[in-house]
Amino acid sequence: MSSTAMKKKVLLMGKSGSGKTSMRSIIFANYIARDTRRLGATISTSGNLETAFSLLFCFVFATVDVEHSHVRFLGNLVLNLWDCGGQDTFMENYFTSQRDNIFRNVEVLIYVFDVESRELEKDMHYYQSCLEAILQNSPDAKVFCLVHKMDLVQEDQRDLIFKEREEDLKRLSRPLACTCFRTSIWDETLYKAWSSIVYQLIPNVQQLESNLRNFAQIIEADEVLLFERATFLVISHYQCKEQRDAHRFEKISNIIKQFKLSCSKLAASFQSMEVRNTNFAAFIDVFTSNTYVMVIMSDPSIPSAATLINIRNARKHFEKLERVDGPKHSLHMRMR
């Protein structure tokens, strides 16, 4: 890995069975929801004797209870993702012998709660222990709580249950600020949560958004979205007109990623797409080496070819922006 990469350590924690590995597999490993049923726990065992030896081995060689992965975002940004096994033995070990190793230099803590857990008190205890370790070792870390498996809750009860859990978690997290999301692997809520988390880690996001706004205004687009190429998480957007569906970004992420996976199963690669009706035209195209762009146009007098040329002409500028040391001038200055 390049020495110039900007690495951000992300802890993914929560009790065993809360759904951490499933959501990581969907976002970063191109799984679809139904395929996650074959995933085991981060350390999976069967049989009492095997379990005993495995836990003993994990206690002596502590690193095996954490799965490490590096995910490259936008050129220089690399997420150093630590998926921490949630078995009781592992959790206790994180707060004692591994405390400094696990909780040092953390940029983001993501704690996953199973909304239907029968051990809520123990879940809260472990979460509080995580917060104490974060305060001691990484006091500037951002904290996110995912109230997961919300699809198992009756629809008319979801808002109430999530609100109650959110209030409890925010109170418990003080003096740290905690951002909560309701999530499920079966809908777009998972993409909404992870897009929001990754957004917090992009170092030049304001410059990126400023240039995306200029790009949208120059080409007279209603809306422009930027997606990370591998995960299809929304990392930036600009809209000129109000839209009715507040969840449209996450829905698009989910739909297009499923379509990309379908293409790959047929040994085909997804490159671009145009959807047009009497009200609008939507263009999804490869933008930079790490992103796709989606452009929404409602002006029927602007031909498709003109929009595609504008996308092509902006690519070089946005490629440079992906580097932390990218250009400081805006797109409209470059296009004069």
Side-chain angles (χ1 to χ4, degrees), residues 11-18 20-21 24 40-44 55 58 62-68 82-95 98 102 111 126 130:
L11 288 187
L12 181 60
M13 305 194 76
K15 285 278 291 159
S16 179
S18 62
K20 303 184 302 297
T21 302
R24 178 172 65 88
T42 301
I43 296 294
S44 58
L55 292 177
C58 292
T63 57
V64 299
D65 55 0
V66 180
E67 287 190 10
H68 299 267
W82 293 38
D83 181 0
C84 301
Q87 291 88 340
D88 288 345
T89 304
F90 297 159
M91 295 293 277
E92 295 295 342
N93 207 28
Y94 299 150
F95 307 130
Q98 294 191 69
I102 295 288
Y111 202 98
Y126 283 144
C130 284

Side-chain angles (χ1 to χ4, degrees), residues 291-307:
T291 61
Y292 277 87
V293 69
M294 182 173 185
V295 176
I296 308 296
M297 308 286 291
S298 62
D299 186 346
S301 68
I302 301 177
S304 298
T307 300

Side-chain angles (χ1 to χ4, degrees), residues 302-320:
I302 301 177
S304 298
T307 300
L308 294 173
I309 289 171
N310 284 329
I311 291 173
R312 184 186 66 198
N313 290 340
R315 280 177 181 147
K316 186 175 181 181
H317 181 82
F318 278 88
E319 282 278 10
K320 292 179 180 178

Side-chain angles (χ1 to χ4, degrees), residues 137-190:
N137 292 276
S138 304
D140 296 326
K142 297 178 176 65
V143 179
F144 297 89
C145 291
L146 307 187
V147 183
H148 195 46
K149 303 185 181 180
M150 288 295 292
D151 55 285
L152 300 178
V153 179
Q154 289 186 9
E155 192 168 354
D156 61 349
Q157 294 294 311
R158 290 175 189 172
D159 288 345
L160 177 61
I161 289 175
F162 174 73
K163 185 176 180 181
E164 289 176 349
R165 192 65 57 86
E166 181 180 35
E167 289 174 352
D168 289 342
L169 290 170
K170 286 189 173 184
R171 182 174 59 252
L172 195 65
S173 301
R174 294 171 186 157
L176 292 171
C178 162
T179 303
C180 298
F181 295 96
R182 66 184 88 189
T183 55
S184 166
I185 64 172
W186 298 101
D187 60 29
E188 69 277 359
T189 55
L190 191 62

